[in-house]
Amino acid sequence: MEIEETLKVNPLTGLNSSEVEERSKIHGKNKMDEGERRSFGIMFVSQFKDFLILVLIAAAIISGLLGEISDTILILIIVLINALIGAVQEKKAEDSMEALKKLTIPEAKVLRNGQREIIKSEDLVPGDIVFLDAGDFIPADGRLIEEASLKITESSLTGESMPVHKSVADIKDPETALGDRKNSVYMSSMVNYGRGKYVVTATGMKSEIGKIAGMIQGTETIQTPLQKRLDELGKVLAIGAIVACIAVFVIGLFRGGDPYLLFLTAVSLAVAAIPEGLPAVVTVVLAIGVQKLVAKNAIIRKLPAVETLGCASVICSDKTGTLTQNKMTIKKVYANGEVMDVSELKEKTLSGPEKMVAQIGLLCNDASIVTGKDSIQEMGDPTEVAMVAFGGLLDYDKITEEKKFPRIAELPFDSSRKLMTTVHKIDECWYSFTKGAPDVMIERAGYFFTDNEIVPMNDMLTEKIHSSNNALSNDSYRVIAYSYKKYDIEPEISFEELEHDFIFCGMTGMIDPPREEVKESIRICKKAGIKTVMITGDHKNTAVAIAKQLDIFEENSIALTGVELARLTDKELQHQIEAIKVYARVAPEHKVRIVEAWQKKGQVVAMTGDGVNDAPALKKADIGCAMGITGTDVSKEAAEMILTDDNFATIVSAVEEGRGIYANIKKSIHFLLSCNIAEVLILFIATMVGLIQPLLPIQILWINLVTDSLPALALGVEKNDPNIMNERPRSPKESVFAHGLGRRIIFHGIILAMITLTVFQIGLVNYSVDVARTMCFAVLAFSQLTHAINVRSEKKSLFSAQLFTNRYLWGALAISSALQLSVLLIPILQPIFHVVGMDAVQWFVVIIGSLMPLVVVELTKQAGPMLRKKLNIKTTQ
């Protein structure tokens, strides 16, 4: 054979010791390269390169120098927790290579020096002759030179769970998809049935699994949109804070202020201007989102992935098990010359041929379905399991039927015959039951079983059966035909005797049906502006049929095979990608290319997968979703999210949760920044107009501590807006301040500052400086707390039905208010914070001032829609 000549090996003796040694030097060990691995310590240190983290560390040091030890400790704890989480996530990402190493098979049965021996699989070299038996894992890639009814499961590479029938026949087309290379075997696949012998053609990193390992090593982890936005936000805030602080210090000096007090004020202002609680708020909000998703069958491995889901605009989904049930199911039955739905068949009284189809499917069958207390266990080939389930649906029990019609002999399925036959004794007669490929069965059938009689097969009947078979096949059903023969004496167990002149009973059409809930989930995706794309290792016709049922594939949609995709240039793919809804028979590199093509379009891509072949694309995608039930360790390690129910609908729930989390993070940012802007403006304006300093450094730091953390965290657990999935996905390039948020933050900051300065001026005109500062200190703290109620919704009134839906916010406001009141009312604390007692009139002014943000923002919420409506009317007239 050509392969033995190419690899210079004698198939009768195998390689000799010197040849093995020489090839081992050239090709190396049959194992995965580990790649460059960093220590956990280096990963931990690398987390501190983030600009906002560096600013926070500087703020912590300055707070310590000012004597604010509690602030220093709090900031450092936040920074260390974030660094630890980041390092742990990075470590998990690198563990995907460790999972790949586990796929290396420990031992292999080889032919060397003319002797059959067992060796370590890592010592295999190209040219080695390897023996395969049922149950073996394949230790290296190779080309078959012998096979007997060999079936191999290649799901880890192709994603398809059905075993593949292998053959030694040559394949001429060099572009043949991996799933169609029937004469080749691949590392980590498993032998389900039969036996074989092959020549090793590729080992280690040159094997298909090795190529996937190389792709995983070469794929960089993408920074999430939120991480990018927070980095940018940190830089803007830091620069703005530094400029404001320098201005306050310089202008204050120019006006003759105390340099020491001005320095302390400027530094306090810098600490106040930067929301050091923001990283903690983001981390906690994401962690709460993770817990919510666990209840919805999604495990998040990397915290930022929760937010990334919120801007997902494309979901590239595997077919088998994700969009479908991963369970072959008989849906159509051909008997009595007509094709019926199984639902129709169940409702009618079964006639002779219909009963025979069900019974043959049960008896000429090696599979079983065992019902336990807590679960149903399916054992055997998925096609045969479908026949057992079909029989059960029609109230036939396999065990009962086998007792009534005991099997006495069999001819196992053979890929060359494409048939399986069993022989049963029933009373004093013998029957042979045969199932298999319709084309083969029709050719060998001598008779046709109808309702009332058995008639000789003729051209008209043959044509009708062929036509029905073709119709079912074209609709992507896997068609199996059923026949039987009756004998008065025990028949000879041979192909010639048992598998000719059948009585043809009928056919079944089976398919892996779509999950019932998926169609509704895809409808929700469309409404939310999310595109769904099917990527599968299955055949194109089957994939398109399922895609049509789920409304993924519509008019003008395109379906491509991996081979067709490979022929497209990058430019052609970019041009067509919006229309391509189904990719079939794809290889791992094709999946990565599809993800990259969408990302070049500016889309945020979620990718599902369960096999080793999916790992590079899962890692490349913005959000990788691995299957928890059928997923390999490699795919789980490469993914950000694991679906514990392997269900597409779970991804849609996760997207909704991700959108809600991002909306809540924006609320926290809105609250924190508007409060910080207010603090900066108060001191800046007071310095510019020559007012006495309204707030002392300790008062600024206290307000920052009391009003920021708890309310901001509570805003992060607001319930999702019911209409959140009616919105289009946000662009990954979209600023945190988009859709007017930046304007609202500045506007609300100005409101808070003006209210506070007005109260301070009232205090200065009517009372002493100490009373004015106390009133200013009080109103700023309480007005910021009431402002937290404003930011719960951009448009909805605070008097809406949702006012009391967030009990955490009301708890946070109560605690923060209690802390602020304790400083203002407890005599022992008053000197520490430089405050004095206030009378009833002063408290009245403080209360009115604290409630004013609610009044102003509520009026703008009411006025906004009316103004837009008027403008709209004017434009349309």
Side-chain angles (χ1 to χ4, degrees):
M1 287 176 69
E2 186 183 332
I3 190 67
E4 290 99 318
E5 291 172 8
T6 304
L7 292 168
K8 298 184 176 128
V9 59
N10 184 337
L12 300 177
T13 60
L15 299 174
N16 59 43
S17 300
S18 61
E19 287 172 321
V20 170
E21 189 176 346
E22 186 182 332
R23 295 183 189 204
S24 185
K25 288 176 184 175
I26 297 169
H27 300 282
K29 292 285 187 183
N30 179 33
K31 61 181 185 179
M32 302 296 117
D33 291 343
E34 291 188 25
E36 186 182 343
R37 294 183 67 82
R38 299 190 301 163
S39 69
F40 184 79
I42 292 171
M43 293 178 194
F44 180 75
V45 172
S46 69
Q47 306 302 313
F48 293 94
K49 63 187 179 184
D50 179 81
F51 188 76
L52 185 57
I53 296 296
L54 293 173
V55 171
L56 288 176
I57 292 171
I61 294 168
I62 293 167
S63 295
L65 293 173
L66 290 172
E68 300 301 325
I69 305 300
S70 59
D71 264 18
T72 301
I73 292 170
L74 178 64
I75 294 170
L76 290 177
I77 287 172
I78 290 167
V79 168
L80 288 171
I81 289 172
N82 278 322
L84 186 63
I85 290 170
V88 168
Q89 290 170 359
E90 205 169 317
K91 175 73 167 61
K92 284 181 177 178
E94 289 206 355
D95 285 346
S96 58
M97 284 307 301
E98 288 298 314
L100 264 174
K101 284 169 65 182
K102 292 176 188 175
L103 292 176
T104 306
I105 316 308
E107 292 180 330
K109 296 173 284 193
V110 300
L111 181 67
R112 282 185 178 174
N113 301 307
Q115 299 292 320
R116 185 167 171 162
E117 54 184 281
I118 296 175
I119 65 166
K120 289 182 179 178
S121 66
E122 67 177 43
D123 293 331
L124 283 171
V125 295
D128 262 323
I129 306 292
V130 179
F131 298 94
L132 297 174
D133 294 296
D136 287 350
F137 282 92
I138 293 164
D141 291 4
R143 182 74 60 79
L144 283 168
I145 54 176
E146 280 183 25
E147 68 86 20
S149 303
L150 186 64
K151 286 186 188 179
I152 294 178
T153 297
E154 297 177 338
S155 56
S156 62
L157 279 170
T158 64
E160 294 308 305
S161 57
M162 294 297 293
V164 179
H165 296 285
K166 291 295 181 177
S167 163
V168 296
D170 287 342
I171 295 174
K172 303 297 183 186
D173 186 358
E175 292 185 334
T176 302
L178 187 143
D180 294 322
R181 297 174 199 166
K182 300 294 176 67
N183 61 355
S184 297
V185 294
Y186 300 100
M187 184 191 290
S188 85
S189 302
M190 190 187 80
V191 179
N192 285 77
Y193 191 86
R195 59 181 178 78
K197 187 164 73 170
Y198 75 94
V199 182
V200 173
T201 55
T203 58
M205 296 299 286
K206 292 179 182 176
S207 67
E208 292 297 327
I209 287 286
K211 290 174 187 175
I212 291 169
M215 281 190 271
I216 292 174
Q217 287 176 352
T219 304
E220 293 180 7
T221 305
I222 295 172
Q223 199 180 25
T224 71
L226 180 63
Q227 288 169 326
K228 292 174 185 174
R229 299 288 83 81
L230 289 179
D231 280 352
E232 292 167 9
L233 177 60
K235 289 172 185 175
V236 170
L237 291 177
I239 293 165
I242 291 165
V243 169
C245 294
I246 292 171
V248 166
F249 182 74
V250 171
I251 294 168
L253 277 179
F254 181 73
R255 291 184 177 276
D258 178 5
Y260 180 69
L261 181 60
L262 283 169
F263 175 74
L264 289 181
T265 302
V267 171
S268 302
L269 193 57
V271 174
I274 297 167
E276 67 271 10
L278 184 57
V281 168
V282 171
T283 301
V284 171
V285 171
L286 291 175
I288 291 168
V290 166
Q291 294 305 312
K292 286 183 182 177
L293 286 171
V294 167
K296 296 179 180 179
N297 301 312
I299 297 170
I300 302 295
R301 294 182 62 252
K302 302 172 187 177
L303 276 183
V306 185
E307 177 271 334
T308 311
L309 276 164
C311 52
S313 52
V314 177
I315 301 176
C316 295
S317 178
D318 186 29
K319 175 182 73 70
T320 307
T322 309
L323 298 173
T324 65
Q325 297 173 18
N326 195 20
K327 182 179 177 182
M328 293 304 291
T329 306
I330 292 175
K331 290 289 186 182
K332 301 285 185 182
V333 177
Y334 171 83
N336 286 317
E338 63 174 329
V339 175
M340 295 164 283
D341 283 321
V342 167
S343 55
E344 295 174 39
L345 194 64
K346 193 175 185 304
E347 291 169 5
K348 62 182 284 189
T349 306
L350 298 187
S351 64
E354 294 154 355
K355 289 170 72 173
M356 284 301 292
V357 166
Q359 285 184 309
I360 294 168
L362 279 176
L363 295 168
C364 184
N365 191 316
D366 292 325
S368 59
I369 299 176
V370 180
T371 306
K373 286 183 180 178
D374 303 317
S375 62
I376 296 174
Q377 190 175 5
E378 298 175 346
M379 295 179 285
D381 184 275
T383 302
E384 293 194 325
V385 169
M387 295 172 191
V388 177
F390 171 62
L393 191 69
L394 300 177
D395 299 323
Y396 287 104
D397 177 65
K398 188 172 193 286
I399 295 173
T400 305
E401 293 298 308
E402 286 176 334
K403 285 179 181 175
K404 282 164 59 178
F405 313 118
R407 185 190 299 190
I408 61 170
E410 67 181 276
L411 292 174
F413 180 87
D414 183 279
S415 55
S416 58
R417 291 170 25 249
K418 298 183 180 179
L419 300 173
M420 173 182 176
T421 300
T422 56
V423 179
H424 302 258
K425 188 174 182 186
I426 304 169
D427 297 328
E428 297 304 315
C429 297
W430 286 263
Y431 286 80
S432 64
F433 296 143
T434 303
K435 73 172 191 293
D439 291 343
V440 177
M441 196 88 77
I442 295 165
E443 283 177 16
R444 300 187 186 184
Y447 303 91
F448 184 77
F449 191 8
T450 68
D451 261 339
N452 305 313
E453 58 183 335
I454 294 168
V455 300
M457 188 66 79
N458 56 48
D459 291 343
M460 188 178 73
L461 287 171
T462 301
E463 180 58 34
K464 194 169 183 181
I465 298 168
H466 273 303
S467 176
S468 298
N469 176 38
N470 292 336
L472 289 169
S473 298
N474 290 338
D475 285 338
S476 296
Y477 287 97
R478 179 169 293 165
V479 186
I480 305 292
Y482 305 84
S483 297
Y484 78 98
K485 287 178 75 174
K486 183 179 178 182
Y487 310 87
D488 293 327
I489 59 171
E490 186 172 351
E492 177 190 343
I493 310 303
S494 67
F495 306 131
E496 292 76 15
E497 176 66 23
L498 301 178
E499 294 183 345
H500 288 86
D501 292 328
F502 300 122
I503 301 170
F504 189 93
C505 298
M507 300 179 291
T508 57
M510 62 180 71
I511 199 166
D512 180 10
R515 288 176 178 264
E516 291 178 8
E517 66 278 16
V518 167
K519 190 168 184 178
E520 173 62 15
S521 299
I522 288 170
R523 187 193 66 77
I524 292 170
C525 281
K526 284 183 180 178
K527 201 173 180 183
I530 301 169
K531 303 171 185 71
T532 306
V533 179
M534 181 191 288
I535 303 178
T536 178
D538 208 343
H539 294 281
K540 187 198 279 190
N541 288 350
T542 306
V544 169
I546 296 295
K548 283 180 178 176
Q549 289 181 51
L550 293 171
D551 292 335
I552 293 173
F553 197 90
E554 300 169 317
E555 192 177 354
N556 300 323
S557 294
I558 298 172
L560 291 182
T561 63
V563 172
E564 291 166 338
L565 174 63
R567 290 175 187 153
L568 292 180
T569 64
D570 288 345
K571 189 175 181 180
E572 288 170 334
L573 179 59
Q574 284 291 306
H575 180 69
Q576 296 185 44
I577 196 161
E578 297 276 354
I580 305 169
K581 295 300 176 71
V582 171
Y583 297 88
R585 281 331 229 186
V586 290
E589 61 270 21
H590 296 146
K591 296 183 181 185
V592 172
R593 190 181 176 204
I594 294 162
V595 170
E596 286 178 336
W598 277 113
Q599 288 172 337
K600 285 175 185 173
K601 282 268 187 183
Q603 305 291 334
V604 175
V605 183
M607 171 83 194
T608 74
D610 56 2
V612 177
N613 63 320
D614 296 313
L618 289 172
K619 193 174 178 187
K620 179 66 183 174
D622 298 279
I623 172 77
C625 311
M627 302 297 112
I629 300 171
T630 60
T632 58
D633 288 344
V634 181
S635 63
K636 290 174 186 176
E637 291 294 345
E640 285 82 12
M641 180 170 79
I642 298 170
L643 309 179
T644 57
D645 59 353
D646 290 13
N647 195 338
F648 181 87
T650 302
I651 304 171
V652 181
S653 299
V655 168
E656 181 177 358
E657 194 61 44
R659 288 186 174 192
I661 284 167
Y662 186 74
N664 288 344
I665 288 172
K666 283 184 73 172
K667 288 171 189 172
S668 298
I669 290 172
H670 181 174
F671 173 71
L672 289 170
L673 295 192
S674 52
C675 292
N676 289 8
I677 284 172
E679 292 163 17
V680 172
L681 284 174
I682 289 165
L683 289 175
F684 186 75
I685 292 169
T687 305
M688 291 292 288
V689 299
L691 278 177
I692 295 169
Q693 192 167 310
L695 295 166
L696 297 173
I698 193 169
Q699 292 172 341
I700 298 169
L701 293 169
W702 174 255
I703 288 174
N704 209 45
L705 180 67
V706 169
T707 62
D708 278 9
S709 306
L710 290 177
L713 283 171
L715 285 167
V717 293
E718 281 285 332
K719 289 188 177 179
N720 293 346
D721 189 314
N723 298 317
I724 202 162
M725 287 301 279
N726 294 339
E727 300 166 7
R728 307 290 296 176
R730 75 178 189 279
S731 166
K733 296 178 182 177
E734 180 182 291
S735 166
V736 173
F737 304 113
H739 308 295
L741 179 60
R743 290 194 301 274
R744 285 192 298 276
I745 287 172
I746 294 169
F747 176 60
H748 294 164
I750 291 170
I751 290 170
L752 292 171
M754 290 298 100
I755 291 167
T756 305
L757 284 171
T758 302
V759 170
F760 178 64
Q761 189 63 25
I762 292 169
L764 277 180
V765 171
N766 298 289
Y767 311 104
S768 67
V769 173
D770 288 340
V771 171
R773 276 187 179 145
T774 302
M775 291 171 70
C776 177
F777 177 51
V779 79
L780 180 59
F782 290 125
S783 64
Q784 287 186 0
L785 293 177
T786 56
H787 179 53
I789 302 170
N790 286 328
V791 302
R792 291 183 67 194
S793 174
E794 294 175 12
K795 298 172 185 174
K796 290 182 182 175
S797 167
L798 66 91
F799 301 109
S800 68
Q802 294 186 339
L803 181 60
F804 297 105
T805 55
N806 187 348
R807 65 180 186 273
Y808 299 104
L809 178 62
W810 292 105
L813 295 179
I815 293 168
S816 295
S817 298
L819 288 170
Q820 180 66 13
L821 285 170
S822 67
V823 166
L824 293 168
L825 299 176
I826 297 173
I828 198 171
L829 296 176
Q830 287 176 345
I832 298 172
F833 290 91
H834 305 284
V835 296
V836 294
M838 293 185 288
D839 61 27
V841 174
Q842 291 158 0
W843 270 110
F844 177 76
V845 173
V846 167
I847 291 168
I848 293 298
S850 300
L851 294 174
M852 280 305 292
L854 290 176
V855 176
V856 175
V857 174
E858 188 65 21
L859 287 172
T860 58
K861 283 181 183 177
Q862 299 300 322
M866 291 192 297
L867 184 62
R868 282 193 296 271
K869 191 175 178 183
K870 282 184 181 179
L871 289 171
N872 188 47
I873 290 169
K874 284 180 182 178
T875 355
T876 51
Q877 277 178 344

